[in-house]
Amino acid sequence: MALKFDTDFDPAYGQGVTVAPDVLRITAKNPSPFTFYGTNSYIVGRETLAVIDPGPDDDAHLKTLLEVIADRPVSHIFVSHTHRDHSALVARLKQHTGAIILAEGPHRPARPLRIGEINPLDASADTAFNPDIALPDGLVVNGDGWAIRTVLTPGHAANHAAFALEGTGILFSADHVMAWATSIVAPPDGAMADYMASLDRLIERDDRLLLPGHGGPVTAPRSFMRELKSHRRMREKAILERIRSGDRTIKEMVAAIYRDTDPRLHDAAGLSALAHLEDLVARGLVSTDGDPAVDGIFAPIA
């Protein structure tokens, strides 16, 4: 069964949208093939607030955030990961609010760059970001009428975290699980083995609603994530089948497997294929000379 995505979404730019009791969503106007209609920021609380993912460094988005916050104090700013569409506005929002910045840690790749390798995702990395408090897995931060638990979910990014709103069944899933599309897992920023392990971890939870970093909510999380896991395994199977049928390069695999995908996303698809191939090589199912690379030659292992 094909994974069904929900692309029915009204970004309601310039305003806060109530998505749960004491939770408002504000969508930045930074649409793209990778961000859908834009990045979602969330405001949690009624009197003293928390902000989750301030978003891109955009004047209009900052203005909307401050209008919705109004004269209420903000005690905490949570950041899911350090891609600039989520974290770049942090410093300016802190200047206005004085809030504490919390995240897993500074930006880092899932693995070191290999000799001669160039990170194609450098432009999206917020290397200037440094939280006031580094969040370990499971830490609960108590605020004014709310409590947020850190759930570390590396995969899309090495420092990716989801945030559970305790006592509500709501999880802010950022870019790990989204209703409108699969998450991009692109080396060296991300790793497929990490992503799949994090996905299993979320499947084991009992969340009733996921509020993602782009697009609308995931309303049946466990069943959707099981389908998402099956989708990833089917993609892995398709890559293995292409290699066994004679494809040797990622370019050949992408042309066949992603033939119905927006061509603007083919470079990202190539990185996703590389993420699968890194995992397949590590598991002894595919061979390559040296380390797996975008321009590498791959062969099946009998």
Side-chain angles (χ1 to χ4, degrees), residues 41-71:
S41 301
Y42 294 96
I43 296 177
V44 177
R46 186 174 301 175
E47 296 182 4
T48 300
L49 309 175
V51 174
I52 297 176
D53 281 355
D57 188 3
D58 177 82
D59 290 344
H61 189 55
L62 176 61
K63 181 174 181 289
T64 302
L65 283 172
L66 294 175
E67 287 174 351
V68 173
I69 290 167
D71 58 353

Side-chain angles (χ1 to χ4, degrees), residues 7 22 38-39 61 64 88 92 98 102 104 106 114 118 158 163 182 198 205 210 212 216 221 251 261 298 301:
T7 57
D22 296 333
T39 303
H61 189 55
T64 302
R92 294 176 67 188
L102 307 96
E104 188 272 354
R114 293 161 181 153
I118 297 173
F163 299 111
T182 56
S198 295
R205 290 177 54 86
L210 304 188
K251 186 176 180 179
T261 300
F298 299 89
I301 295 178

Side-chain angles (χ1 to χ4, degrees), residues 49 156 194 254:
L49 309 175
H156 171 71
D194 291 345
V254 168

Side-chain angles (χ1 to χ4, degrees), residues 48-50 73-77 98-102 143-144 146:
T48 300
L49 309 175
V74 177
S75 57
H76 298 77
I77 298 171
I100 298 169
I101 301 169
L102 307 96
D144 183 7
W146 51 263

Side-chain angles (χ1 to χ4, degrees), residues 97 121 139 203:
T97 64
L121 304 176
L139 180 70
I203 290 171

Side-chain angles (χ1 to χ4, degrees), residues 24-45:
L24 294 169
R25 181 187 68 220
I26 299 171
T27 303
K29 197 172 184 179
N30 61 325
S32 79
F34 301 99
T35 61
F36 197 35
Y37 283 93
T39 303
N40 294 330
S41 301
Y42 294 96
I43 296 177
V44 177

Side-chain angles (χ1 to χ4, degrees), residues 16-286:
V17 177
T18 299
V19 291
D22 296 333
V23 180
L24 294 169
R25 181 187 68 220
I26 299 171
T27 303
K29 197 172 184 179
N30 61 325
S32 79
F34 301 99
T35 61
F36 197 35
Y37 283 93
T39 303
N40 294 330
S41 301
Y42 294 96
I43 296 177
V44 177
R46 186 174 301 175
E47 296 182 4
T48 300
L49 309 175
V51 174
I52 297 176
D53 281 355
D57 188 3
D58 177 82
D59 290 344
H61 189 55
L62 176 61
K63 181 174 181 289
T64 302
L65 283 172
L66 294 175
E67 287 174 351
V68 173
I69 290 167
D71 58 353
R72 295 174 292 179
V74 177
S75 57
H76 298 77
I77 298 171
F78 293 84
V79 179
S80 65
H81 64 294
T82 46
H83 287 157
R84 297 186 60 81
D85 62 309
H86 291 259
S87 62
L89 195 60
V90 165
R92 294 176 67 188
L93 186 61
K94 177 170 181 167
Q95 286 179 347
H96 284 275
T97 64
I100 298 169
I101 301 169
L102 307 96
E104 188 272 354
H107 187 80
R108 67 182 188 281
R111 59 162 174 78
L113 282 174
R114 293 161 181 153
I115 295 174
E117 184 179 22
I118 297 173
N119 185 354
L121 304 176
D122 270 347
S124 68
D126 188 356
T127 56
F129 177 87
N130 200 34
D132 297 317
I133 296 176
L135 295 171
D137 187 54
L139 180 70
V140 177
V141 176
N142 291 289
D144 183 7
W146 51 263
I148 291 176
R149 180 184 298 271
T150 298
V151 182
L152 296 185
T153 50
H156 171 71
N159 64 354
H160 194 285
F163 299 111
L165 189 57
E166 293 285 271
T168 69
I170 294 172
L171 182 80
F172 299 92
S173 57
D175 284 6
H176 191 70
V177 179
M178 302 175 288
W180 74 282
T182 56
S183 176
I184 294 173
V185 181
D189 272 23
M192 189 60 67
D194 291 345
Y195 180 84
M196 296 299 286
S198 295
L199 192 59
D200 281 338
R201 185 176 189 209
L202 293 192
I203 290 171
E204 292 171 359
R205 290 177 54 86
D206 193 27
D207 299 304
R208 64 174 181 83
L209 184 71
L210 304 188
L211 297 176
H214 308 275
V218 177
T219 55
R222 186 169 283 172
S223 61
F224 181 80
M225 287 189 289
R226 284 175 177 150
E227 292 174 3
L228 186 58
K229 181 179 178 180
S230 295
H231 173 81
R232 291 287 186 180
R233 289 305 182 204
M234 288 174 62
R235 188 68 79 202
E236 174 188 282
K237 181 181 178 183
I239 289 171
L240 276 171
E241 288 176 349
R242 294 307 308 175
I243 292 174
R244 288 167 180 162
S245 67
D247 287 356
R248 291 294 175 262
T249 67
I250 286 176
K251 186 176 180 179
E252 290 173 316
M253 298 174 212
V254 168
I257 297 171
Y258 294 90
R259 58 185 174 272
D260 296 326
T261 300
D262 185 337
R264 293 177 296 174
L265 299 177
H266 276 198
D267 286 347
L271 290 172
S272 179
L274 175 61
H276 277 292
L277 286 161
E278 286 187 341
D279 188 33
L280 290 167
V281 169
R283 289 157 54 196
L285 297 173
V286 172

